Amino acid sequence: MRLVFEHKSYIDNTLPSQLMHYNAVIWEETAKETNSYPPIINIVFYHGKRKWRIPTTLPVLKDKQLEDFVQKLNYILIDLNEIQDDDLIRNIYEDVCTISALLVMKHIFDDLEIIKNILKLLYENNASCIFLVIDYVVIVKKDLEKMEEILKEISGGEEKMMTLTEKWKMEGWMVGKVEGKKEALIKLIQLKFGAVPGDLEKVINECKDLEELDKILTKVALANSIEEIIIK
């Protein structure tokens, strides 16, 4: 059994051909090693603004007699837009970081006021992943000034905000320690794409430069598929 994860923040009409390509590569590589063709489950994770409209079984056949003779593509769609915030929040204390990250991804194209409540929850639970979430929001929204205003509000004042901001700078992604940054980067890739390719993980683990890690972070945050993360 093999699992293929694909992340989309917009409706991409090339998705079916992408999944077919991934499946073909898996079968080709597996056949070389074991002379077998394992079953593959395709999972698409979506959090874009528009309603998803690509059928989960393709092609759509009017003649059902052809079902047994036509090449079919199936995938499981996880659409964050179809999941109520309350349903996610009910599980928040089982894994505050993962659920909060899902909520942020769901609302990343909405007003920052919505994301503020999620950051407040992370702050109140003393969750270290708040720095990962802050960086992701800043990169996508490109509004550092607004983020600083939000940090001031959720921390309860200028002095505490400065403490939180300094901790962000010292321990967070943007200018944090190299090892912490690597760990957070790998977690983000796992969250978005399901797995970290071996060659990409090797590049991250061997990187000792904060600026280079920041560049990789930007690519990961903006990428819609693992293939878009090209590291030279």
Side-chain angles (χ1 to χ4, degrees), residues 163-191:
T163 301
L164 179 60
T165 303
E166 287 303 315
K167 192 172 183 181
W168 174 25
K169 291 180 178 179
M170 291 301 296
E171 299 180 17
W173 278 52
M174 295 182 76
V175 287
K177 296 179 181 178
V178 171
E179 293 305 316
K181 207 164 203 181
K182 290 178 183 178
E183 182 181 351
L185 180 52
I186 289 174
K187 285 182 179 178
L188 177 60
I189 296 172
Q190 290 172 335
L191 179 63

Side-chain angles (χ1 to χ4, degrees), residues 16-58:
S17 59
Q18 289 176 358
L19 293 178
M20 292 292 286
H21 172 70
Y22 302 154
N23 292 184
V25 170
I26 290 173
W27 274 353
E28 182 179 2
E29 294 301 316
T30 306
K32 290 178 183 178
E33 298 177 2
T34 64
N35 197 32
S36 64
Y37 299 88
I40 300 172
I41 297 177
N42 298 299
I43 301 173
V44 176
F45 180 83
Y46 175 67
H47 65 102
K49 293 184 287 186
R50 298 166 59 195
K51 184 176 178 59
W52 188 259
R53 55 178 172 76
I54 302 176
T56 55
T57 298
L58 292 166

Side-chain angles (χ1 to χ4, degrees), residues 1 11 19 24 29 56 82 112 123 137 182 191 202 210:
M1 179 73 70
I11 297 177
L19 293 178
E29 294 301 316
T56 55
E82 299 298 324
L112 276 172
Y123 179 76
V137 174
K182 290 178 183 178
L191 179 63
K202 181 179 179 181
L210 288 171

Side-chain angles (χ1 to χ4, degrees), residues 190-209:
Q190 290 172 335
L191 179 63
K192 289 191 69 173
F193 305 113
V196 184
D199 54 347
L200 178 57
E201 185 172 11
K202 181 179 179 181
V203 169
I204 293 171
N205 286 328
E206 292 180 352
C207 184
K208 298 180 181 180
D209 186 275

